[in-house]
Amino acid sequence: MKYHQINSALFVKNRRKFMAEMKPNSVAVFNSNDIYPISADSTLPFAQHRDIFYLSGVDQEESVLLLFPDAPYEHQREILFLRETNDHIAVWEGEKLTKERAFQVSGIRTVYWLQDFHKVLNEMMTYADTMYINTNEHYRASVETETREARFVKWWKERYPAHNVAKSNPILQRLRSVKESEEIDLIQHACDITEKGFRRLLGFVKPNVTEYEVEAELAHEFIRNRSKGFAYTPIIASGNNANVLHYIENNQQCKEGDLLLLDVAAEYANYSSDMTRTIPVSGRFTDRQKAVYNAVLRVKNEATKMLTPGTLWKQYHIEVGKIMTSELLGLGLLDKADVQNENPEWPAYKKYFMHGTSHHMGLDTHDYGLLHEPMKPNMVFTVEPGIYIPAEKFGIRLEDNVVVQEKGEPFNLMRNIPVEADEIETLMNE
């Protein structure tokens, strides 16, 4: 891996928190992701399942974590199963985790080769009453491919039908949504890499540059700073492309007078950052562009202040909608009649701002978090209002990542990334 090794104490802590929530006499199993085939012998780059990474730090395919806090013997309470490495694998694929190295990464003493998994699991099942299975219950999940985790769940239910079944996901939704200080540091590092990429662009973007050239500049800067690259598929949208919320073609020329919306961010050690900035291709905003830009910035700043302990996600978005409505009235995009006659299920402001303002982030860009529960300290959220005006051929979105504090306003992990219109103009014209 490109990133520096994370202290195993983080993963020891995470496992303790998870096991403290398990029912008596229960086992939990977590699987790595598959390496997904493309065609012939080609595959996608491996990306680890975030849950097994969160609990073990193991960033390798064909790995399994078993947790059994009430096991009769201490060495059975945390077990890692790894693909057995050998000289042939080392030559063709590179070094894999040895048992000793796996302990250094995870803090888990008991490590078996994967070939022993079924035998060991069978013994654990004779002691246990309940199995925690790890299903994907994220509110945005839409999974058509059968994952390694899903195949295991299907096999396990057939093999052990007499055991009780419990779900790991509700526990992980709560645990992963509240970050440890080490995790916040890792997200901060991802944000700092993103800052370097953005500052590089401010001296690069000019009329006639292409969106894919901008993407290449970012990829260069991210990777040279130990990131695998983009935390998610980058959106580099010039002109009217910015009005397509998930525009990812990135194949158009940036024209004089256009705005360039950049929803781009680096990952680091599997932790995401998530930034959006909108900059003028020619280095200067028009008066109209700046007026809309500053309206979005004001909404972002006011929305950020509301991310405090006890806040409910749904009510928060209602309040942000009121602020956005006021700004749209000031810009002449809405009038009082639009607001008076609006549909409560789709308020008038949604014509120009149709997505949410904030989501949890961390190991996943849209991270775990139960939206019906109040916000807590050390949750990390995006703040990303936007105004999209197809009739004027531009859209503006601004986005930072912030940490909810015990008291007061959140801490902005992107506080050093330029966002004021005047500062962006100054940096682009140096």
Side-chain angles (χ1 to χ4, degrees), residues 53-221:
F53 183 83
Y54 174 80
L55 293 166
S56 72
V58 170
D59 202 352
Q60 182 175 296
E61 71 280 8
E62 297 184 64
S63 304
V64 182
L65 171 66
L66 185 151
L67 301 177
F68 189 2
D70 295 330
Y73 304 105
E74 186 174 352
H75 74 276
Q76 297 171 326
R77 293 170 190 170
E78 298 180 339
I79 306 175
L80 266 180
F81 299 88
L82 303 174
R83 178 186 177 192
E84 184 172 4
T85 190
N86 55 44
D87 292 342
H88 177 79
I89 290 172
V91 169
W92 285 90
E93 300 180 30
E95 180 185 359
K96 301 292 180 182
L97 288 174
T98 63
K99 292 182 179 181
E100 181 57 35
R101 181 87 178 106
F103 166 68
Q104 293 171 5
V105 167
S106 67
I108 296 173
R109 282 283 182 194
T110 306
V111 182
Y112 293 108
W113 298 131
L114 190 58
Q115 63 200 33
D116 295 324
F117 174 68
H118 288 154
K119 179 180 70 175
V120 174
L121 178 65
N122 190 60
E123 181 183 355
M124 300 302 104
M125 288 293 96
T126 64
Y127 303 138
D129 300 318
T130 301
M131 165 64 92
Y132 277 84
I133 59 174
N134 194 29
T135 49
N136 186 347
E137 299 177 23
H138 191 276
Y139 66 99
R140 286 185 166 206
S142 178
V143 182
E144 295 185 5
T145 303
E146 187 176 51
T147 63
R148 194 178 191 88
E149 199 80 86
R151 291 198 307 277
F152 169 76
V153 169
K154 184 189 296 183
W155 171 85
W156 180 86
K157 284 183 174 180
E158 292 177 356
R159 180 69 178 80
Y160 300 100
H163 283 72
N164 298 319
V165 179
K167 299 191 299 182
S168 297
N169 190 261
I171 299 174
L172 288 167
Q173 290 268 15
R174 290 186 174 92
L175 295 184
R176 278 184 47 186
S177 68
V178 179
K179 273 55 179 180
E180 295 289 343
S181 60
E182 299 96 323
E183 295 181 283
I184 292 171
D185 289 344
L186 291 164
I187 298 169
Q188 179 69 77
H189 195 81
C191 292
D192 293 344
I193 296 172
T194 299
E195 178 190 354
K196 292 178 181 180
F198 181 63
R199 288 184 181 276
R200 180 187 181 101
L201 287 188
L202 294 177
F204 175 79
V205 170
K206 56 186 179 297
N208 300 322
V209 74
T210 57
E211 294 165 348
Y212 55 81
E213 288 178 295
V214 174
E215 182 176 347
E217 292 294 309
L218 287 165
H220 175 94
E221 195 65 28

Side-chain angles (χ1 to χ4, degrees), residues 314-384:
K314 186 175 181 180
Q315 188 61 39
Y316 161 75
H317 279 92
I318 292 172
E319 295 304 315
V320 174
K322 294 176 183 177
I323 299 168
M324 179 60 79
T325 298
S326 175
E327 292 292 349
L328 293 172
L329 287 167
L331 292 168
L333 292 168
L334 295 179
D335 58 33
K336 291 183 179 179
D338 293 322
V339 178
Q340 289 168 354
N341 299 322
E342 70 183 9
N343 176 357
E345 299 300 315
W346 192 256
Y349 78 85
K350 289 284 189 180
K351 179 178 179 181
Y352 299 100
F353 174 39
M354 61 291 296
H355 57 78
T357 308
S358 294
H359 58 77
H360 290 85
M361 60 159 294
L363 277 168
D364 287 295
T365 305
H366 298 112
D367 206 23
Y368 284 179
L370 297 169
L371 301 182
H372 62 280
E373 296 190 352
M375 295 179 187
K376 296 179 180 179
N378 289 342
M379 286 185 170
V380 180
F381 285 96
T382 63
V383 189
E384 50 181 305

Side-chain angles (χ1 to χ4, degrees), residues 385-405:
I387 295 176
Y388 309 92
I389 317 174
E392 299 182 37
K393 293 184 168 51
F394 71 86
I396 294 171
R397 181 164 68 251
L398 301 172
E399 176 182 19
D400 283 339
N401 306 154
V402 303
V403 187
V404 177
Q405 303 293 288

